[in-house]
Amino acid sequence: MSKSKLEDENIKIENVVASTTLDRRMPLDRIAIYLENTEYEPEQFPGLVYRLEEPKAAALIFGSGKVVCTGTTSPDQAKEAVDKIIDELREADIEIGSKPEITVQNMVASSEVGATLNLNRIAFELVGTEYEPEQFPGLVYRLDEPSVVFLLFSSGRIVCTGGKTYDDVLEGINKLKENLREIGALE
């Protein structure tokens, strides 16, 4: 599945979360001194926050060697950001062995269904929903396959989270629209 297919469907990837595990413990205090754009306050949070300008991303680096990268808008960008972080850690004289495997953990996408939605009706008729308008203006809808979660807003705007691939996002949105059509909530 290509990103352009998503763009054709008017789906925008808002955020990609990817992770990897480096093959050694990370000296976070040393990294914080060497690298610019870091925040490290171990009494507040056990990881170091490292912000990249290009690609724009933020990474959490933990002493265990786990790295979580967020803020990119494609899996390729997330991998590029993690690769850049690894290169900069190597420049800081931190030995990192073989190239680690980078895994996409979550993609967040947004789109429009092209109609206003009656969230009360959807909550009543569609299995797998949670809707408490006094708490939050959006309806939460969970799909098992693919394993994604939606936020639906009465304006017709939707947010999809939990997908790990472009296919998950596109398949989830298509199933959502199909399910809304089945209950008459979407033409």
Side-chain angles (χ1 to χ4, degrees), residues 84-96:
K84 186 171 184 178
I85 291 162
I86 290 168
D87 290 344
E88 292 186 13
L89 290 172
R90 285 181 174 141
E91 286 176 22
D93 289 327
I94 295 168
E95 288 184 35
I96 297 170

Side-chain angles (χ1 to χ4, degrees), residues 18-26 28 47-48 59-69 89 103 105:
S19 67
T20 191
T21 302
L22 306 177
D23 60 359
R24 61 161 295 171
R25 292 201 57 77
M26 293 287 111
L28 299 181
L48 176 142
L60 302 175
I61 303 172
F62 296 92
S64 66
K66 178 139 179 135
V67 178
V68 178
C69 179
L89 290 172
T103 305
Q105 302 293 334

